[in-house]
Amino acid sequence: MQLVVARIGRAHGIKGEVTVEVRTDEPELRLGPGAVLATDPASAGPLTIETGRVHSGRLLLRFEGVRDRTGAEALRNTLLIAEIDPDEQPEDEGEYYDHQLIDLDVVTRDGQQVGRITEIAHLPTQDLFVVERPDGGEVLVPFVEQIVTEIDLEEQRAVIDPPPGLIDDRDEIAASPDEIAASPDEIAASRDEA
């Protein structure tokens, strides 16, 4: 199975180094010296990583055969693709590769069918499941343990415990029965007394 692990950015310096936008949680494994990566467009590769280093918080790579800025600039926006075993698991328990989560059925703890995961959105603060509803709509589910309570790869499902309003905008947080029966003036007066 092929996974995009990085995108080549601009050239850095004059000796063929490039910046890369890392798209893997395991850059030391996928983007280390000696790694041979396929490319998109295919005509740019395959590329073998010769050296890698971090400079000012950015990963810089140099590829075999690329010795100057012109060669490095020619690779700009090329995607780097690693070949991985589809049965490979991340090292840390509770972590998953995107391809393991795509197409999982999403159900609530009480068994209500929510939909199917079609995409994982990687945002700076958290990851989101993009879930296609049976009616064709979409819902975004934060991939946090308070909401996603179980991932069962054997059963091909993700179990969620959504807060009110997450999967159905008609759900509302219920007010207490006393507040429903009380007038707005009575509610304000009871809060002032407290």
Side-chain angles (χ1 to χ4, degrees):
M1 164 179 264
Q2 294 188 327
L3 290 178
V4 173
V5 293
R7 183 182 65 80
I8 298 175
R10 60 183 176 80
H12 179 83
I14 60 171
K15 296 183 179 179
E17 283 185 312
V18 294
T19 62
V20 292
E21 174 190 306
V22 177
R23 295 188 180 177
T24 175
D25 289 338
E26 302 171 316
E28 62 286 342
L29 176 66
R30 308 283 181 217
L31 299 170
V36 179
L37 302 167
T39 61
D40 181 7
S43 60
L47 295 172
T48 302
I49 297 174
E50 186 174 282
T51 64
R53 66 185 178 102
V54 176
H55 176 72
S56 298
R58 300 224 48 170
L59 180 61
L60 302 177
L61 297 178
R62 183 183 343 216
F63 301 101
E64 289 181 4
V66 180
R67 296 283 173 240
D68 60 18
R69 186 174 185 86
T70 303
E73 276 295 333
L75 296 173
R76 192 172 192 163
N77 293 321
T78 298
L79 297 177
L80 299 175
I81 303 166
E83 186 70 39
I84 69 159
D85 179 348
D87 296 326
E88 183 180 328
Q89 299 288 327
E91 290 181 13
D92 294 334
E93 185 178 332
E95 289 189 0
Y96 303 92
Y97 293 125
D98 288 4
H99 73 273
Q100 294 173 300
L101 301 171
I102 301 294
D103 288 331
L104 291 185
D105 291 324
V106 178
V107 297
T108 61
R109 288 174 39 165
D110 62 3
Q112 176 189 354
Q113 181 70 25
V114 177
R116 184 179 55 83
I117 299 172
T118 57
E119 182 182 343
I120 311 299
H122 299 283
L123 304 178
T125 55
Q126 68 189 15
D127 295 337
L128 296 172
F129 292 161
V130 179
V131 179
E132 183 178 313
R133 302 293 305 259
D135 65 5
E138 282 186 347
V139 63
L140 301 176
V141 177
F143 187 20
V144 295
E145 64 182 281
Q146 296 86 350
I147 296 174
V148 180
T149 59
E150 179 185 356
I151 298 289
D152 188 338
L153 296 178
E154 286 185 21
E155 294 292 323
Q156 288 290 292
R157 68 181 187 154
V159 179
I160 65 171
D161 185 14
L166 180 67
I167 61 172
D168 188 349
D169 59 7
R170 291 171 294 190
D171 288 345
E172 293 180 14
I173 298 173
S176 72
D178 294 334
E179 287 185 346
I180 293 172
S183 72
D185 292 334
E186 291 171 324
I187 294 171
S190 68
R191 289 186 182 155
D192 289 340
E193 291 172 5

